[in-house]
Amino acid sequence: MASMKTIAFPQTELRASNVILGLMRIAELEDEDIRTLYGSARDAGINTFDHADIYGPSRHACEERFGQAVKLSAAERESIVIQSKVGIRSGYFDFSKEHIVRTVEESLAALRTDYLDVLMLHRPDTLVEPAEVAEAFDELHAAGKVVNFGVSNHTPGQIELLKTAVQRPLVANQVQLSITHCPLIAAGIAANMGGLDQSVDRDNGLLDYARLHGMTLQAWSPFQKGFFDGVFIGDVEHYPELNSVLDELAASYGVTPTGIAVAWITRHPANMQVVLGTTNPGRVAESAAGSDIPLTREEWYRLFSAAGHVIP
């Protein structure tokens, strides 16, 4: 069985597991079920937990349920990484200083913690004023309410725009990524291939940018076929070859296909993290087992090809 790999965020003292437990689906769970889910993650070596103000049927609902169910001692709080996101509102995006600061204060109250280890700007706000974001970040950091900052679903250009004013390092970018949905990887592999849709760069060189600038990519929907189109694991109708290779490698490494799907992401030298969305403790353990599986280059590219991508 593989061990849990941890990564160091450049320019910070933060060290985090490369598998993250996302908590966007816990609003309707009982307290004991939430504690069991959290415990299964900790037992598997996961120390990083992902929230957002919009997760749940109402704002801060999932953060509130986590805070109610998981009573963190001071020592336990110091041993884990809690991150949350801000910026999505009903029908629009809002990176105003007022909204960022107020939302963080609400998140802290809901989570029953004094600080966030990482705060991310959720989806790009085209009306963003970088100076206003910088003021919010500086105020939150000076007050000890947020230690580190990042973004989610941002392009290199959008990040560079923020950096014209934001002085705090932007340590992470959370993006959609799975074996079957990987344009940020696939486009580079098919670079300069005229007439091939895969060669179209939809992410503005995001993968290389992250590696060049020391940003950690966090992969959300790691088992999704597309944009919430269902999972590819076990879908032998649409992905027979991929599932055959997943099964073969799972047997070889002594894990489940879920573990191999995680390993495909964590094997990449960009040192990415995988964000889980499950509420099933067993699935958490299966996923965590893929944290440090040393897939060979041949195995990694076999999975890529089996998913339907072109290797020129």
Side-chain angles (χ1 to χ4, degrees):
M1 186 66 68
S3 60
M4 176 61 63
K5 182 179 179 181
T6 60
I7 64 163
F9 284 79
Q11 306 180 71
T12 78
E13 298 179 357
L14 200 62
R15 191 155 196 97
S17 55
N18 70 346
V19 177
I20 298 171
L21 180 60
L23 295 156
M24 68 179 293
R25 295 185 174 91
I26 65 168
E28 307 304 324
L29 297 183
E30 299 293 331
D31 283 5
E32 188 59 34
D33 293 329
I34 295 174
R35 285 192 287 269
T36 297
L37 181 65
Y38 175 81
S40 69
R42 296 295 280 134
D43 289 344
I46 295 172
N47 77 339
T48 307
F49 300 88
D50 179 75
H51 291 274
D53 62 319
I54 63 164
Y55 290 165
S58 58
R59 292 186 72 244
H60 304 290
C62 287
E63 293 174 322
E64 181 71 31
R65 291 296 299 118
F66 183 84
Q68 290 171 341
V70 182
K71 305 297 194 295
L72 297 171
S73 66
E76 177 68 5
R77 176 64 188 91
E78 289 179 6
S79 71
I80 65 173
V81 174
I82 296 179
Q83 61 183 39
S84 193
K85 297 180 285 294
V86 62
I88 298 179
R89 304 191 70 171
S90 180
Y92 64 106
F93 303 117
D94 189 350
F95 287 176
S96 66
K97 177 184 176 182
E98 178 187 8
H99 181 67
I100 292 171
V101 172
R102 183 178 69 249
T103 299
V104 167
E105 291 171 346
E106 292 169 352
S107 290
L108 294 177
L111 290 163
R112 304 186 185 187
T113 186
D114 295 329
Y115 65 95
L116 296 175
D117 295 281
V118 183
L119 173 69
M120 294 179 170
L121 300 176
H122 211 156
R123 282 193 174 273
D125 175 12
T126 195
L127 302 182
V128 63
E129 298 283 359
E132 200 168 348
V133 173
E135 288 180 14
F137 283 7
D138 290 346
E139 180 176 315
L140 290 167
H141 187 265
K145 295 177 181 179
V146 180
V147 183
N148 302 289
F149 300 88
V151 296
S152 181
N153 307 298
H154 278 56
T155 68
Q158 291 164 339
I159 294 167
E160 285 297 310
L161 177 62
L162 288 169
K163 289 166 69 173
T164 61
V166 172
Q167 299 301 307
R168 304 301 310 169
L170 297 174
V171 302
N173 189 3
Q174 195 171 112
V175 296
Q176 185 177 5
L177 176 66
S178 72
I179 301 174
T180 57
H181 180 91
C182 59
L184 70 92
I185 292 175
I189 290 175
N192 201 38
M193 298 291 292
L196 181 64
D197 182 70
Q198 181 182 314
S199 70
V200 178
D201 183 0
R202 293 176 170 82
D203 301 281
N204 300 89
L206 180 59
L207 176 61
D208 295 334
Y209 176 89
R211 297 182 72 179
L212 286 166
H213 293 271
M215 291 190 76
T216 297
L217 294 177
Q218 299 182 345
W220 58 269
S221 287
F223 313 122
Q224 288 284 328
K225 290 181 281 191
F227 189 73
F228 294 109
D229 296 329
V231 299
F232 56 80
I233 298 172
D235 183 359
V236 295
E237 179 182 354
H238 298 101
Y239 292 98
E241 184 181 355
L242 175 58
N243 276 278
S244 177
V245 179
L246 285 169
D247 289 342
E248 177 190 330
L249 293 177
S252 175
Y253 284 101
V255 296
T256 66
T258 297
I260 298 300
V262 167
W264 186 82
I265 297 171
T266 59
R267 164 62 178 84
H268 198 282
N271 282 328
M272 304 182 208
Q273 294 175 290
V274 175
V275 184
L276 309 179
T278 185
T279 58
N280 184 322
R283 187 59 59 83
V284 171
E286 290 180 17
S287 300
S291 163
D292 202 21
I293 289 177
L295 292 175
T296 66
R297 272 185 164 82
E298 181 182 7
E299 290 167 342
W300 191 94
Y301 278 104
R302 276 188 69 200
L303 288 163
F304 179 80
S305 177
H309 306 298
V310 173
I311 299 178

